[in-house]
Amino acid sequence: ASGLFQRAIGESGGLFEPVELSDDFNLAGAEQTGKDFVAQSGATSLQALRAMPASEFIKPRFFPHAVIDGYVLPQAPYDAYREGRQNNVDILIGFNAREGRYFLPDDRKITAGNLRQELGKDFPSLLVSLIGPKTAANDEEALAAYIAFEGNMRFGWDMWTWARLQAAAGQRNAFLYVYSQASPYRPGDKYFGWGASHGMEMPYVFDHLDQQALPWTAQDRRLTSTLSAYWTNFAKSGDPNGPGLPIWPKYTSTRTQAMLLGERVAPGPVQGEADLERIDRAYRAARFLVRNAETLLVVAALTVLALVGSLIVYVRRWRIARLAATGRN
């Protein structure tokens, strides 16, 4: 796609995690996933698979995602940025304050007692133990912690990392946002109480509030006017700023602010940055361990040999000292 687009808007996450931790993200792993899917479908040939009704075809569980296949994606996005091989365009990216609410099924109830167990259904238990929420005083606090962790792991960390990588590259602009507006869903609506969950910014960005019969307020309409202007300006010029709009500063290595989009529209600190930094440390450690596994094994082996050698020397010296003492006696 190099050269086929001038700038990019990202509103639904990225892929900057250490993908080498899972075979699903390389070509061989993806091919095996495809074979497993075909086996679950019951088809015995490609022709049989193509002939299946759509209602049957979608029954087997399948989790689509990007694959580092060496062709469309020759390398992981994180590595592309580190090596300066990214498509070099201005970006406008961000995440919503309650992204994680989207990933809470109606049949799951989060409590102070089952918080970590429920998070362990979606993420490796070791990761939850290391960087997940530790305790919650009550069920309300547990639900908030669940939503925050799910959102940070699925969207927040990626977008924050993307902005930082773009800023570190120092060639094109990055504009980062955090969206927090709660749409006015009413009791009984599917999304009542969800707040600024995944996708909730879309009616505001595209200025089509009236496609939903909700009790929109004057503040809702001011926000949609502001957001649609920001997005349109960026599409035109690579800069969201324009006449009559609050100034949206660039995200840089020295000015690490996001544009807060909600009841208040103004620059401010990134929500939950301490949690994002904790995730970042875990991912950096994992990436280092995987990429230096052979070296670390050699170092570990040499360390063990050195310890054994030191122990042998100590034991020999101890025996000699004992023999000498016995001889004197």
Side-chain angles (χ1 to χ4, degrees), residues 294-324:
E294 292 184 3
T295 302
L296 291 171
L297 285 173
V298 170
V299 171
L302 291 175
T303 301
V304 170
L305 288 173
L307 288 172
V308 170
S310 298
L311 182 61
I312 290 172
V313 170
Y314 172 79
V315 170
R316 291 187 65 184
R317 287 177 177 173
W318 178 80
R319 290 182 63 190
I320 291 171
R322 288 282 295 172
L323 289 171

Coordinates of all heavy atoms in Angstrom, one line a residue, residues 294-324:
E294 N 18.4 -17.5 22.8 CA 19.6 -18.4 22.6 C 20.8 -17.8 23.5 O 21.5 -18.5 24.2 CB 20.0 -18.5 21.2 CG 19.0 -19.3 20.3 CD 19.5 -19.4 18.9 OE1 20.6 -19.0 18.6 OE2 18.7 -20.0 18.1
T295 N 20.9 -16.5 23.4 CA 22.0 -15.8 24.2 C 21.8 -16.0 25.6 O 22.7 -16.3 26.4 CB 22.1 -14.3 23.8 OG1 22.3 -14.2 22.4 CG2 23.2 -13.6 24.6
L296 N 20.5 -15.8 26.1 CA 20.2 -16.0 27.5 C 20.4 -17.4 27.9 O 20.9 -17.6 29.1 CB 18.7 -15.6 27.7 CG 18.5 -14.1 27.6 CD1 17.0 -13.8 27.6 CD2 19.2 -13.3 28.6
L297 N 20.1 -18.4 27.1 CA 20.4 -19.8 27.4 C 21.9 -20.1 27.6 O 22.3 -20.8 28.6 CB 19.8 -20.7 26.4 CG 18.3 -20.9 26.4 CD1 17.8 -21.7 25.2 CD2 17.8 -21.6 27.7
V298 N 22.7 -19.5 26.7 CA 24.1 -19.7 26.8 C 24.6 -19.0 28.1 O 25.4 -19.6 28.9 CB 24.8 -19.0 25.6 CG1 26.3 -19.0 25.8 CG2 24.5 -19.8 24.3
V299 N 24.1 -17.8 28.4 CA 24.5 -17.1 29.6 C 24.1 -17.9 30.8 O 24.9 -18.0 31.8 CB 23.9 -15.7 29.7 CG1 24.2 -15.0 31.0 CG2 24.5 -14.8 28.6
A300 N 22.9 -18.4 30.8 CA 22.4 -19.2 31.9 C 23.3 -20.4 32.1 O 23.6 -20.8 33.3 CB 20.9 -19.6 31.7
A301 N 23.6 -21.1 31.0 CA 24.4 -22.3 31.1 C 25.8 -22.0 31.7 O 26.3 -22.7 32.5 CB 24.6 -23.0 29.7
L302 N 26.4 -20.9 31.2 CA 27.7 -20.5 31.7 C 27.7 -20.1 33.1 O 28.6 -20.4 33.9 CB 28.2 -19.3 30.8 CG 28.6 -19.7 29.4 CD1 29.0 -18.4 28.6 CD2 29.8 -20.7 29.3
T303 N 26.6 -19.5 33.5 CA 26.4 -19.1 34.9 C 26.3 -20.3 35.8 O 26.9 -20.4 36.9 CB 25.1 -18.2 35.1 OG1 25.2 -17.1 34.3 CG2 24.9 -17.8 36.5
V304 N 25.5 -21.3 35.3 CA 25.4 -22.6 36.1 C 26.8 -23.3 36.2 O 27.2 -23.7 37.3 CB 24.4 -23.5 35.4 CG1 24.4 -24.9 36.1 CG2 23.0 -22.9 35.6
L305 N 27.5 -23.3 35.1 CA 28.8 -23.9 35.1 C 29.8 -23.2 36.0 O 30.6 -23.8 36.8 CB 29.4 -24.0 33.7 CG 28.8 -24.9 32.7 CD1 29.4 -24.7 31.3 CD2 29.0 -26.4 33.1
A306 N 29.7 -21.9 36.0 CA 30.6 -21.1 36.9 C 30.2 -21.4 38.4 O 31.1 -21.5 39.2 CB 30.4 -19.6 36.6
L307 N 28.9 -21.5 38.7 CA 28.5 -21.8 40.0 C 28.9 -23.2 40.5 O 29.4 -23.4 41.6 CB 27.0 -21.7 40.1 CG 26.4 -20.2 40.1 CD1 24.9 -20.3 40.0 CD2 26.9 -19.4 41.3
V308 N 28.8 -24.1 39.5 CA 29.3 -25.5 39.8 C 30.8 -25.5 40.1 O 31.3 -26.2 41.0 CB 28.8 -26.5 38.7 CG1 29.5 -27.8 38.9 CG2 27.3 -26.6 38.6
G309 N 31.5 -24.8 39.2 CA 32.9 -24.8 39.3 C 33.3 -24.2 40.7 O 34.2 -24.7 41.4
S310 N 32.7 -23.1 41.0 CA 33.0 -22.4 42.3 C 32.7 -23.4 43.5 O 33.4 -23.4 44.5 CB 32.1 -21.1 42.5 OG 32.5 -20.2 41.5
L311 N 31.6 -24.1 43.4 CA 31.2 -25.1 44.4 C 32.2 -26.2 44.5 O 32.6 -26.6 45.7 CB 29.8 -25.7 44.1 CG 29.3 -26.6 45.1 CD1 29.1 -25.9 46.5 CD2 27.9 -27.2 44.7
I312 N 32.7 -26.7 43.4 CA 33.7 -27.7 43.4 C 35.0 -27.2 44.1 O 35.6 -27.9 44.9 CB 34.0 -28.2 42.0 CG1 32.8 -29.0 41.4 CG2 35.3 -29.1 41.9 CD1 33.0 -29.3 39.9
V313 N 35.4 -26.0 43.7 CA 36.6 -25.4 44.3 C 36.4 -25.3 45.8 O 37.3 -25.6 46.6 CB 36.9 -24.1 43.7 CG1 38.0 -23.3 44.4 CG2 37.4 -24.3 42.2
Y314 N 35.2 -24.8 46.2 CA 35.0 -24.6 47.6 C 35.0 -25.9 48.4 O 35.6 -26.0 49.5 CB 33.6 -24.0 47.8 CG 33.1 -23.9 49.3 CD1 33.6 -22.9 50.1 CD2 32.2 -24.9 49.8 CE1 33.2 -22.8 51.4 CE2 31.8 -24.8 51.1 CZ 32.3 -23.8 51.9 OH 31.9 -23.7 53.2
V315 N 34.4 -27.0 47.8 CA 34.4 -28.3 48.5 C 35.8 -28.9 48.6 O 36.2 -29.4 49.6 CB 33.5 -29.3 47.7 CG1 33.6 -30.7 48.2 CG2 32.0 -28.8 47.8
R316 N 36.6 -28.7 47.5 CA 38.0 -29.2 47.6 C 38.8 -28.5 48.6 O 39.5 -29.1 49.4 CB 38.6 -29.1 46.2 CG 38.0 -30.0 45.1 CD 38.8 -29.9 43.8 NE 40.1 -30.5 44.0 CZ 41.1 -30.5 43.1 NH1 40.8 -30.0 41.9 NH2 42.3 -30.9 43.3
R317 N 38.6 -27.2 48.7 CA 39.4 -26.4 49.7 C 38.9 -26.8 51.1 O 39.7 -26.9 52.0 CB 39.2 -24.9 49.5 CG 39.9 -24.4 48.3 CD 39.6 -22.9 48.1 NE 40.4 -22.4 46.9 CZ 40.2 -21.2 46.5 NH1 39.3 -20.3 47.0 NH2 41.0 -20.8 45.4
W318 N 37.6 -27.1 51.2 CA 37.1 -27.5 52.5 C 37.7 -28.8 52.9 O 38.1 -29.0 54.1 CB 35.6 -27.5 52.5 CG 34.9 -28.0 53.7 CD1 34.7 -27.3 54.9 CD2 34.5 -29.3 54.0 NE1 34.1 -28.0 55.8 CE2 33.9 -29.3 55.3 CE3 34.4 -30.5 53.3 CZ2 33.4 -30.4 55.9 CZ3 33.9 -31.6 53.9 CH2 33.4 -31.6 55.2
R319 N 37.7 -29.8 52.0 CA 38.3 -31.1 52.3 C 39.8 -31.0 52.6 O 40.2 -31.7 53.5 CB 38.1 -32.0 51.1 CG 36.6 -32.4 50.8 CD 36.5 -33.4 49.7 NE 37.2 -34.6 49.9 CZ 37.4 -35.6 49.0 NH1 37.0 -35.4 47.8 NH2 38.0 -36.7 49.3
I320 N 40.5 -30.2 51.9 CA 41.9 -30.1 52.2 C 42.1 -29.5 53.6 O 43.0 -30.0 54.4 CB 42.6 -29.2 51.1 CG1 42.6 -29.9 49.8 CG2 44.0 -28.8 51.6 CD1 43.1 -29.0 48.6
A321 N 41.3 -28.5 53.9 CA 41.4 -27.9 55.2 C 41.1 -28.9 56.3 O 41.7 -29.0 57.4 CB 40.5 -26.7 55.3
R322 N 40.1 -29.7 56.0 CA 39.7 -30.8 57.0 C 40.8 -31.8 57.2 O 41.1 -32.2 58.3 CB 38.4 -31.5 56.6 CG 37.2 -30.6 56.7 CD 36.7 -30.6 58.1 NE 36.2 -31.9 58.6 CZ 35.9 -32.1 59.8 NH1 36.0 -31.2 60.7 NH2 35.5 -33.3 60.2
L323 N 41.4 -32.2 56.1 CA 42.5 -33.2 56.1 C 43.7 -32.6 56.9 O 44.4 -33.3 57.7 CB 43.0 -33.6 54.7 CG 42.0 -34.5 54.0 CD1 42.4 -34.7 52.5 CD2 41.9 -35.9 54.7
A324 N 44.0 -31.3 56.6 CA 45.1 -30.7 57.3 C 44.8 -30.6 58.8 O 45.7 -30.9 59.6 CB 45.3 -29.3 56.7

